[in-house]
Amino acid sequence: MSTFCHLLEGLRSALKTLCGQPVGAGQFDVLGVNLQRSSVITLATALLLTPFYVFTSEILKLLHQDKEILEVAAKYAIWVIPQLYAYALNFPVQKFLQAQSKIWVMTVINIVILVFRILLNWVLLTKLGHGLFGAAMAGNVSW
């Protein structure tokens, strides 16, 4: 999963320039258009990456991975597909806010989400005993 997130990270890095230039020129309407375009591009990329998540089992079989690891990884990959799309939407919004120097907004949101995710993981994993599925769902909800 992390390899595919690196691809989205590369797309997000390109937004640094695309979002910074309109702000410097005072063209905030262009910044909004860039946010929309980048959201479409990152969502399309996530859509193209989805088959890798769906066919994780087959891919890992081709790589001669241990059967027990393969089964767990394949289940987890299916469960975290929503996170892929959440990443795709989150990255452009982060750059949009960063370009406008709204770092405190991102900081507050991330702190709230961190606390929420810790509590959600504790409930799903410790109290309800959902294991790996609970961890995946906590990630999906918090993203």
Side-chain angles (χ1 to χ4, degrees), residues 3 19 26 31 42 45 47 50-51 55 57 59 64-66 69 74 80 83-84 87 96 99 102-103 122 125 128 137:
T3 304
C19 289
L31 181 62
T42 54
T45 303
L47 185 63
T50 300
F55 297 110
S57 177
I59 293 168
H64 304 293
Q65 293 296 310
D66 182 63
I69 293 173
V80 296
Q83 285 183 39
L84 180 65
Y87 285 138
F96 178 79
K102 295 187 179 182
I103 306 302
W122 178 72
L125 298 173
L128 299 177
M137 291 305 108

Side-chain angles (χ1 to χ4, degrees), residues 36-76:
Q36 292 171 355
R37 288 177 181 165
S38 60
S39 296
V40 169
I41 291 168
T42 54
L43 283 172
T45 303
L47 185 63
L48 292 173
L49 295 176
T50 300
F52 290 99
Y53 284 70
V54 173
F55 297 110
T56 297
S57 177
E58 287 76 14
I59 293 168
L60 293 176
K61 281 179 190 174
L62 289 173
L63 297 172
H64 304 293
Q65 293 296 310
D66 182 63
K67 185 173 176 142
E68 291 177 20
I69 293 173
L70 180 146
E71 290 172 0
V72 172
K75 284 181 186 178
Y76 187 76

Side-chain angles (χ1 to χ4, degrees), residues 6-121:
H6 291 299
L7 178 62
L8 288 175
E9 182 68 33
L11 290 172
R12 183 176 79 148
S13 295
L15 292 175
K16 214 177 276 188
T17 303
L18 288 175
C19 289
Q21 288 176 345
V23 170
Q27 298 174 331
F28 295 102
D29 56 330
V30 175
L31 181 62
V33 171
N34 285 342
L35 173 66
Q36 292 171 355
R37 288 177 181 165
S38 60
S39 296
V40 169
I41 291 168
T42 54
L43 283 172
T45 303
L47 185 63
L48 292 173
L49 295 176
T50 300
F52 290 99
Y53 284 70
V54 173
F55 297 110
T56 297
S57 177
E58 287 76 14
I59 293 168
L60 293 176
K61 281 179 190 174
L62 289 173
L63 297 172
H64 304 293
Q65 293 296 310
D66 182 63
K67 185 173 176 142
E68 291 177 20
I69 293 173
L70 180 146
E71 290 172 0
V72 172
K75 284 181 186 178
Y76 187 76
I78 294 293
W79 293 333
V80 296
I81 289 174
Q83 285 183 39
L84 180 65
Y85 291 92
Y87 285 138
L89 286 175
N90 188 8
F91 287 167
V93 172
Q94 284 180 357
K95 288 301 172 189
F96 178 79
L97 292 171
Q98 188 178 9
Q100 299 175 70
S101 297
K102 295 187 179 182
I103 306 302
W104 280 107
V105 174
M106 294 181 349
T107 303
V108 170
I109 290 170
N110 285 326
I111 289 171
V112 170
I113 294 298
L114 175 65
V115 171
F116 177 70
R117 188 170 186 170
I118 290 169
L119 289 172
L120 192 57
N121 271 309

